[in-house]
Amino acid sequence: MLVYITRRSMQSIVVLLVMSLLVFVGVYAVGNPVDILINPQADQIDRERAIVALGLDKSLPQQYVSFLWGALHGAVPRLVVVGLPSAKVTSMFA
C-alpha cells in the first residue's frame, strides 16, 4: 500500500509540473503579456515599468521558477489591477 501511495504521489507531482509548464508556455503562446495587460496607447516608459513590475525582464527559466514559487505560495495568479494574490482577494468576498 505504501508503494502505491508513493507511486501515485510521484505521478501527481509530474502531472502538476507538466501542467504548470503548459500554463506558463500558454501565456506566451497568445502573444506578449505586456501587449495584453497594458493600454495600447501607453508610452515606452510605462511599458518598461510594466515589464519590470511583472518580472518579464528576467530570462524564461527565471520567470518559470518565480511562477512555480508563486504557485506554491498561493500568489498565482496575481491580480494585476489590484496587485494582490487572487486567493487574498477572493477571501475578502467569502
Side-chain angles (χ1 to χ4, degrees), residues 4-85:
Y4 175 77
I5 293 172
T6 303
R7 188 179 311 137
R8 294 297 287 182
S9 296
M10 297 303 286
Q11 289 173 350
S12 298
I13 291 171
V14 170
V15 167
L16 288 172
L17 284 173
V18 168
M19 289 304 298
S20 71
L21 188 62
L22 287 173
V23 169
F24 182 77
V25 169
V27 169
Y28 285 96
V30 296
N32 187 355
V34 174
D35 293 338
I36 296 168
L37 294 173
I38 67 169
N39 188 348
Q41 285 81 26
D43 61 355
Q44 189 62 29
I45 294 171
D46 289 336
R47 290 179 59 80
E48 290 297 323
R49 273 193 226 135
I51 289 170
V52 171
L54 295 171
L56 299 173
D57 57 336
K58 300 174 185 172
S59 68
L60 283 177
Q62 288 176 321
Q63 290 178 37
Y64 182 65
V65 169
S66 295
F67 176 76
L68 284 179
W69 184 256
L72 291 173
H73 291 90
V76 173
R78 199 160 182 79
L79 295 175
V80 176
V81 175
V82 181
L84 297 171

